[in-house]
């Protein structure tokens, strides 16, 4: 596997950051006056890390294929794979067994209709889980907002508004719970301090495994 830097972004920053995008592009963020030789040496020094990341991206790309809206496609719901199945039946999208049935009449607006279905389901599940953990922790939030974010699973504003990407519904429920707790606790701790993580661990003892799942499956944010 040949490693090729695809983009170098220079700015007033003092440090160098290597970023690998979900599609396998290598981006170098570097100080304005740093020489190309220094950048090349840095990339060479990170050779193994870069290769490992690129191999992981290749694994994810094979695992998470974009939906073509054809019978036999695979999609995710609450951590389980379902077979996309086009039906000539009613105008409803629904799960049954290991299949998600999708009416043929909606195929022209497939992405829009499937996104709407996910959003409806995620509102039902996320509102219930947020309310549960709010009662458990005693932390009050202002509102819950469902977004179409492709970069972040969730976020918390300084006004107590919790935002979650509807794409989070592709994750297992235990992982969803971790994201809900993570963002809810940011109302108490607007940082990632030791106190914050200690509080997370009190509620989700094995949170590290959930966090790793999100990192390893971030390609799910790019689907649909």
């Amino acid at each position: 596997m040949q490693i090729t830097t695809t983009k170098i972004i220079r700015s007033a920053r003092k440090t160098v950051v290597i970023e690998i995008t979900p599609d396998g592009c290598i981006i170098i963020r570097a100080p304005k006056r740093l020489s190309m030789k220094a950048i090349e040496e840095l990339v060479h020094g990170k050779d193994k890390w870069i290769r490992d990341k690129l191999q992981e991206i290749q694994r994810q790309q094979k695992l998470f294929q974009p939906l073509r809206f054809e019978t036999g496609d695979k999609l995710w719901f609450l951590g389980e794979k379902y077979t996309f199945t086009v039906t000539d039946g009613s105008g409803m999208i629904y799960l049954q067994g290991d299949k998600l049935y999708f009416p043929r009449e909606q195929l022209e607006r497939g992405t829009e209709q499937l996104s709407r279905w996910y959003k409806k389901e995620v509102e039902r599940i996320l509102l219930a889980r947020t309310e549960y953990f709010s009662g458990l922790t005693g932390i009050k939030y202002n509102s819950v907002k469902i977004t179409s974010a492709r970069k972040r699973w969730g976020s918390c504003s300084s006004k107590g508004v919790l935002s979650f990407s509807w794409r989070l519904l592709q994750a297992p429920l235990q992982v969803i719970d971790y994201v809900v707790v993570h963002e809810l606790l940011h109302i108490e701790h607007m940082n990632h301090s030791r106190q914050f993580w200690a509080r997370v661990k009190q509620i989700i003892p094995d949170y590290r495994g959930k966090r790793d799942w999100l990192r390893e499956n971030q390609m799910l944010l790019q689907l649909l």
Side-chain angles (χ1 to χ4, degrees), residues 78 121-139 141 144 146 162 164 168-169 171-184 203-204:
L78 292 181
E121 293 296 313
V122 81
E123 285 178 358
R124 174 178 61 83
I125 293 172
L126 270 172
L127 286 174
R129 301 313 292 164
T130 304
E131 195 64 25
Y132 170 77
F133 284 109
S134 175
L136 184 68
T137 60
I139 300 174
Y141 61 94
V144 172
I146 305 301
L162 306 178
F164 302 102
L168 181 60
L169 200 61
L173 186 59
Q174 298 92 330
V175 174
I176 293 174
D177 283 349
Y178 160 69
V179 176
V180 170
V181 168
H182 184 117
E183 302 309 336
L184 188 63
I203 305 164
I204 311 285

Side-chain angles (χ1 to χ4, degrees), residues 7 19-20 41 47 55 68 71 124 145 161 172 210:
K7 191 174 184 180
E19 176 184 345
I20 302 180
E41 289 176 351
D47 182 88
Q55 287 176 356
R68 297 168 300 174
T71 294
R124 174 178 61 83
K145 180 181 178 182
V161 177
K210 311 297 186 290

Side-chain angles (χ1 to χ4, degrees), residues 111 147-152 165 167 218 221-224:
T111 300
T147 74
S148 297
R150 293 177 180 271
K151 298 289 187 180
R152 302 179 69 179
S165 172
R167 293 174 170 84
Q218 63 178 346
L221 283 170
Q222 306 303 317
L223 299 184
L224 289 180

Side-chain angles (χ1 to χ4, degrees), residues 65-70 73-75 84 110-111 114 223-224:
Q65 293 295 326
L67 199 64
R68 297 168 300 174
F69 290 91
E70 298 176 359
D73 286 354
K74 302 298 181 180
L75 50 78
F84 186 86
T111 300
L114 188 58
L223 299 184
L224 289 180

Side-chain angles (χ1 to χ4, degrees), residues 33-191:
R33 297 185 179 181
L34 189 67
S35 68
M36 280 299 301
K37 181 180 179 180
I39 292 175
E40 290 170 358
E41 289 176 351
L42 185 143
V43 171
H44 180 72
K46 293 288 186 178
D47 182 88
K48 184 179 184 307
W49 178 84
I50 293 173
R51 290 180 187 277
D52 288 345
K53 289 290 185 181
L54 291 175
Q55 287 176 356
E56 175 61 22
I57 288 172
Q58 289 177 350
R59 183 193 70 81
Q60 289 192 357
Q61 288 175 341
K62 291 179 181 178
L63 184 62
F64 304 122
Q65 293 295 326
L67 199 64
R68 297 168 300 174
F69 290 91
E70 298 176 359
T71 294
D73 286 354
K74 302 298 181 180
L75 50 78
W76 294 77
F77 181 79
L78 292 181
E80 299 291 338
K81 260 188 178 182
Y82 288 83
T83 301
F84 186 86
T85 305
V86 178
T87 176
D88 293 322
S90 69
M92 293 178 58
I93 300 172
Y94 63 96
L95 292 174
Q96 184 173 317
D98 61 353
K99 294 181 173 61
L100 182 139
Y101 291 94
F102 194 95
R104 189 180 305 278
E105 63 189 27
Q106 295 186 27
L107 286 176
E108 288 188 5
R109 296 184 299 149
T111 300
E112 176 188 344
Q113 295 299 325
L114 188 58
S115 299
R116 183 177 298 174
W117 179 83
Y118 267 111
K119 289 175 183 177
K120 183 179 178 180
E121 293 296 313
V122 81
E123 285 178 358
R124 174 178 61 83
I125 293 172
L126 270 172
L127 286 174
R129 301 313 292 164
T130 304
E131 195 64 25
Y132 170 77
F133 284 109
S134 175
L136 184 68
T137 60
I139 300 174
K140 303 299 182 183
Y141 61 94
N142 187 16
S143 62
V144 172
K145 180 181 178 182
I146 305 301
T147 74
S148 297
R150 293 177 180 271
K151 298 289 187 180
R152 302 179 69 179
W153 299 101
S155 63
C156 174
S157 77
S158 59
K159 295 182 179 180
V161 177
L162 306 178
S163 298
F164 302 102
S165 172
W166 63 260
R167 293 174 170 84
L168 181 60
L169 200 61
Q170 299 172 102
L173 186 59
Q174 298 92 330
V175 174
I176 293 174
D177 283 349
Y178 160 69
V179 176
V180 170
V181 168
H182 184 117
E183 302 309 336
L184 188 63
L185 290 181
H186 274 317
I187 295 176
E188 280 188 345
H189 305 275
M190 291 298 289
N191 53 44

